[in-house]
Each structure stands twice: as structure tokens, then as C-alpha cells.
Amino acid sequence: MIIVSELVFSDGGHVPFNAGLLTIVRTAFPLESVCFVGASEHIRELKKQVGEELSSSIVWQELALLPADAPYFTRFIREFKVLQPIFQINRDGPADLLLVTHAKPATLVVLKLLKRFRYGDVNIQFVLHGYLGGVIGPRHRHPIRRFQEMNTAFTLLGNEHLQYIVLEKSLRTVLIKNIPILEKRVHVLPHPLPPHEVELRPDTLRPPVHFGFLGLANESKGFPVFVKLARDTVEQYGDQAEFHAIGRVPSDGSVDGKIEALATKPGVERLSRKTYIHKVSRLHFIIFPYVAKHYQLTASGTLLDALAWAKPLIARRIELFENMFCEFGDIGYLFSTDLELKSIVERIVQKMDLDRYHQQVLNIQRARCSRDPKVLSVDYQKICQEIRG
């Protein structure tokens, strides 16, 4: 049995990614039993996303989770109670692989302790999809804060029979550069597209040009840059361009107050997947003004949305996006400064290069095929062969 667990998100967050991952696992190992463990609401949304055929082939087990923002030591203590039932699924069948789709530093330490002292026969795969504090830059000097960093979780208690999975090649490069001892433990499994979302017919480039921002409207994603770009462009070009922020404001409600220039403003509640896709389908370009430091070690789910719906990118020149352009050619535009971003948008509005836009869409459609879960299942089989023998 292969056990797949989501230990952080208790709602619809991460459902598209987990659906793609489950499709990979089921395709790679069609004859093995697969169990998914997660919060009840998350499981309900996940069953819808994967479809009835795949859903019926999976054992579903509900689990009460801690709040995502629980303090480190609260999580450390409570995680023993949360994680032991997952390991004990092993008692009901020949489970030998636990795939953790997302978790915190405390979770990784607890997993290592449980494996070392009680469940040594279970191999663990740990998807690095989120917080990697302490890996890049100076570490905390205070010993307690330092202990809570992901860097400590990586190096504590060794990594025997444990694999880390990153979702982009650039993330592996940065991780190995900063923690060389993980070189043989880190594997790349490109971020999969969610199943059962039919590719839409690409929209023709015509005025007004629709520029989009996807996801959480926070500083690390560059939302203030997007808002300023919208104000400047609308002021200069009027109704020749529209700017749409499709996503949510941060949980604390803080957001750039001068968002009048946005045709679509971020909401408070999470959008349904159907509504989100409908709004994304109306865009011509998706802008990624990410803060480079934050996205050195973080994959982007919204990048996958751009690929899924064949929307050319306008992205900051960081390795995550540079690798995509190197692999698939002209899929949009890269910029290094906010001034260069403004210049790119102005050229698009002024020149309306239809031939280039059409080619960019074709290149993205090719990139989309490379992230199909059924294609990626071959890569996952190879990763599993190394740890399972």
C-alpha cells in the first residue's frame, strides 16, 4: 500500500496539486492499494477533482488536522498523535511508502523520530512545497528559533530511507547548493497539472488586452507592483488594457489600498475552482512580478494555471521562469526591473503582435503536455525504484 497524506490544508487549498499527484501515483502503480489521508473537507473537494473512476480506486481516510499556523512546539507535540494513525495503516496491509504532500518543519522531525524508533519499515517521500526557512541566507542565532528552521529538520536524525521531492529543477539546484548532504536525497518531479480540466480554446489577442494576477495578493507575489502597473497603464492607455487580480487578499485583510484601476479586485473568500477557471480563461497574459528571494525555493501553482489555460507569461527573470523559457522557447516575456515590466506591457498594448502571440500560445500548449500526470508517472516510478528497491 502507498499512503498519500496532506497534513496542512484542511479546505480546498492544494486540491489541484494533490489531484495531479494522486493521478501520478495511481498511473505509476495501477495494481497497488493507495490510501489518501487528509481533512474531511479537503477529501470531498479532492474526490470531485480526480473524478469518480480514480476516486473509487482509492481508500480515503479522514484525519483531524492542526491549524496551518500552529506554533512549532504545539505542532511538534500534537503531530505525534496526528501521524501515528497514518503509520498504523501499515498494520492493515503491506504499506511500505508514505508520501507527504506538504508539511511543516516540526512534521518532518516527528516523521523522522517515528520512523527511527517505531516504524522503520516505512519509506518516506516528502514533497517540499512551501516553507524552507533557514536554507538561504543567515540563520537565526537564537538556538530555539534555529531549531525550528527547515534547515535543522533536514539535517537532524539523518535521511536514510527518506526522499525529498521538489517540483522544479531550479529548486533542487538551490537546495543542494545550500545543503550539499541532501544531494542524493532530492529528486525532481515537475509540478503536475490537475486532472479533468479540459483545455480551453485560446482567446484571440484583441483590445482591451486583459492582464492577470493570480493567487494571494501579497507582497512576495508582487501584488503592489501589479497594482502600480495597472494604475500607470490605465492612466496612459485608458480602456485599451484591463488588469484583473484573480485570487484572495491575505488572511489579515491587508492589501494595497489604491486598487481602483483593477477591473477585477481580489476577494476575501477562496473562489470555487469553476469560477477561478472561468476568470482565468478571459485573460490574454498572466503577470508574475514575484519577489525573487521568496521564490528561489518555492514552486508556483499559478504558473501551472498559466500552462493549463495556455496564457503567455510576463514573469520576473528568476531561475524558475528562465528554465521554462529555455525548455519551451518563447512563452511570453521576462523582465528584470519594474520599469522593464512597464515597457513590455506598453509594447503589447501598442503593437498587438498577433503572430507572436499565437506562437507563444502554441509553445505553452507544448509545455502543458510535459506536465500531464500520466507523462510524469514514468518519472515517479523511477524515483520510487531508488527507495523501494
Side-chain angles (χ1 to χ4, degrees):
M1 175 180 281
I2 299 172
I3 305 167
V4 184
S5 62
E6 170 58 64
L7 301 175
V8 175
F9 289 93
S10 58
D11 55 9
H14 256 218
V15 163
F17 169 73
N18 285 338
L21 196 59
L22 275 176
T23 305
I24 288 174
V25 173
R26 168 50 72 222
T27 306
F29 300 102
L31 301 180
E32 292 198 40
S33 296
V34 176
C35 175
F36 182 88
V37 182
S40 57
E41 183 180 346
H42 190 85
I43 287 177
R44 283 197 301 272
E45 294 299 317
L46 191 52
K47 285 181 176 180
K48 296 176 187 177
Q49 184 77 59
V50 300
E52 184 177 350
E53 182 179 355
L54 194 149
S55 176
S56 63
S57 73
I58 294 174
V59 177
W60 303 90
Q61 180 161 321
E62 295 182 3
L63 187 70
L65 300 181
L66 290 169
D69 59 353
Y72 181 95
F73 287 106
T74 299
R75 181 173 294 278
F76 185 87
I77 294 170
R78 290 279 304 279
E79 213 77 303
F80 277 101
K81 295 181 180 179
V82 171
L83 289 169
Q84 286 200 65
I86 297 177
F87 277 99
Q88 289 167 355
I89 295 173
N90 184 40
R91 303 306 186 207
D92 301 323
D96 73 320
L97 182 61
L98 170 61
L99 171 57
V100 181
T101 67
H102 185 75
K104 304 287 187 175
T107 310
L108 178 56
V109 175
V110 172
L111 282 169
K112 287 185 172 184
L113 286 169
L114 288 173
K115 177 173 174 53
R116 170 165 289 197
F117 296 108
R118 191 165 183 182
Y119 304 106
D121 55 339
V122 180
N123 299 304
I124 299 174
Q125 292 175 330
F126 197 92
V127 181
L128 300 177
H129 196 153
Y131 173 79
L132 291 175
V135 174
I136 296 178
R139 302 186 63 187
H140 285 104
R141 294 184 178 181
H142 194 287
I144 295 179
R145 296 291 299 277
R146 191 181 182 93
F147 182 82
Q148 298 176 38
E149 293 176 345
M150 198 64 169
N151 196 316
T152 300
F154 283 139
T155 54
L156 196 67
L157 300 171
N159 294 285
E160 187 177 358
H161 298 296
L162 194 152
Q163 291 177 322
Y164 300 105
I165 294 177
V166 295
L167 306 175
E168 302 291 346
K169 293 178 183 178
S170 60
L171 306 185
R172 185 183 190 278
T173 301
V174 175
L175 187 58
I176 297 307
K177 180 180 178 181
N178 286 272
I179 311 180
I181 63 170
L182 295 182
E183 183 172 9
K184 295 182 179 180
R185 302 294 178 185
V186 181
H187 299 265
V188 179
L189 181 68
H191 198 308
L193 292 167
H196 302 297
E197 292 186 347
V198 180
E199 185 177 3
L200 303 176
R201 183 177 180 180
D203 199 4
T204 302
L205 182 62
R206 60 181 182 273
V209 183
H210 291 187
F211 299 96
F213 175 97
L214 306 183
L216 194 62
N218 61 13
E219 188 172 354
S220 64
K221 282 184 175 289
F223 184 67
V225 175
F226 181 78
V227 170
K228 184 178 186 306
L229 175 68
R231 290 202 304 264
D232 293 345
T233 306
V234 171
E235 181 179 347
Q236 184 172 357
Y237 295 98
D239 60 4
Q240 295 181 61
E242 290 183 6
F243 290 80
H244 302 264
I246 303 170
R248 292 185 300 161
V249 299
S251 58
D252 61 6
S254 63
V255 69
D256 191 313
K258 300 177 181 179
I259 59 174
E260 296 81 8
L262 299 181
T264 300
K265 300 172 178 60
V268 177
E269 302 295 329
R270 181 186 299 278
L271 295 173
S272 70
R273 188 66 179 170
K274 182 178 180 180
T275 301
Y276 179 80
I277 291 171
H278 173 71
K279 290 178 178 292
V280 172
S281 70
R282 299 176 61 246
L283 301 176
H284 293 112
F285 294 91
I286 297 177
I287 299 178
F288 296 88
Y290 289 173
V291 175
K293 180 179 179 181
H294 180 79
Y295 276 88
Q296 282 182 290
L297 280 172
T298 304
S300 171
T302 52
L303 169 60
L304 266 291
D305 291 324
L307 298 184
W309 312 119
K311 305 299 177 181
L313 324 178
I314 304 175
R316 193 173 297 280
R317 192 181 294 276
I318 59 180
E319 192 173 357
L320 171 65
F321 298 113
E322 286 179 320
N323 286 349
M324 294 293 296
F325 277 73
C326 287
E327 187 172 357
F328 300 107
D330 182 7
I331 56 174
Y333 305 86
L334 291 170
F335 66 90
S336 298
T337 66
D338 295 349
L339 184 61
E340 188 178 358
L341 167 60
K342 185 173 184 292
S343 177
I344 289 170
V345 168
E346 288 179 349
R347 289 201 310 271
I348 292 172
V349 174
Q350 290 171 354
K351 294 185 178 181
M352 207 75 64
D353 190 339
L354 300 182
D355 289 338
R356 182 175 181 186
Y357 185 78
H358 178 67
Q359 187 58 54
Q360 289 171 338
V361 169
L362 290 177
N363 290 340
I364 289 182
Q365 288 174 326
R366 183 165 57 91
R368 185 186 195 280
C369 294
S370 73
R371 300 302 180 99
D372 186 294
K374 294 182 180 179
V375 173
L376 295 175
S377 66
V378 177
D379 295 332
Y380 184 65
Q381 280 181 327
K382 294 177 181 176
I383 293 172
C384 289
Q385 284 173 1
E386 186 170 316
I387 195 171
R388 302 175 89 186

